[in-house]
Amino acid sequence: PKCSFLQARLDRTLQEMLQNEAHSFLVACQLADKLELMRMYTSGNETAAQVLMSEDPALCISAVALAMNTLFSRLSNPDQEGALPEFEQLQVPKLRLRATSGLVAMLLDAYDYVYQCLLNPQYGYIDATSEIRHTPNEIRTICGV
């Protein structure tokens, strides 16, 4: 019982840390606010339903595409400042790998969500693929997933 309690606490702490790191990374890419707005639009929020997602100035295709390209750039250049954290404080290699994999999975989920919103015709984006340089599969490839 004591081990399962400690494991659950470790899992919860790791999850909270990863959510904070993912949010910080998305904020630095200027994608966090766009992701939040897109989730609001897709949640069935009545206020959001009155306007097409593509008509929201904060979600214009050029701004969203720039944020997505910034995320790609930061993920594909691990030596640049602001790249993925390496979780050096985690002394156990298996835990460090789990943290890194978890963070990458969260970032990939966010990118994929935004990408799918842009491709969904019900949100009003026209020819979004001409603005988006990288598909979610390309992001997975550079992350080794």
Side-chain angles (χ1 to χ4, degrees), residues 18 22 75 84-85 87 98-111 139-140 142-145:
L18 294 179
L75 288 174
L84 280 176
F87 301 108
R98 189 170 147 207
T100 303
S101 298
L103 177 60
V104 166
M106 288 179 175
L107 296 174
L108 290 173
D109 286 346
Y111 189 93
I139 302 287
R140 285 182 186 85
I142 65 162
C143 291
V145 177

Side-chain angles (χ1 to χ4, degrees), residues 15-113:
Q15 188 66 22
E16 288 171 9
M17 179 187 73
L18 294 179
Q19 287 172 344
N20 290 336
E21 289 291 340
H23 181 72
S24 295
F25 197 89
L26 292 171
V27 166
C29 297
Q30 299 181 346
L31 197 58
D33 57 338
K34 291 162 184 54
L35 179 63
E36 188 176 323
L37 280 171
M38 287 179 158
R39 286 188 174 140
M40 182 189 72
Y41 276 98
T42 59
S43 71
N45 182 312
E46 288 182 30
T47 306
Q50 297 172 5
V51 178
L52 278 176
M53 186 186 294
S54 63
E55 293 173 355
D56 186 322
L59 296 176
C60 71
I61 188 65
S62 59
V64 176
L66 179 63
M68 293 173 79
N69 290 333
T70 301
L71 185 136
F72 178 86
S73 176
R74 291 186 67 190
L75 288 174
S76 62
N77 297 314
D79 296 331
Q80 79 179 23
E81 186 177 332
L84 280 176
E86 296 180 11
F87 301 108
E88 295 169 354
Q89 292 92 357
L90 297 176
Q91 298 296 311
V92 179
K94 188 175 180 180
L95 188 57
R96 188 178 318 121
L97 177 62
R98 189 170 147 207
T100 303
S101 298
L103 177 60
V104 166
M106 288 179 175
L107 296 174
L108 290 173
D109 286 346
Y111 189 93
D112 189 55
Y113 186 86

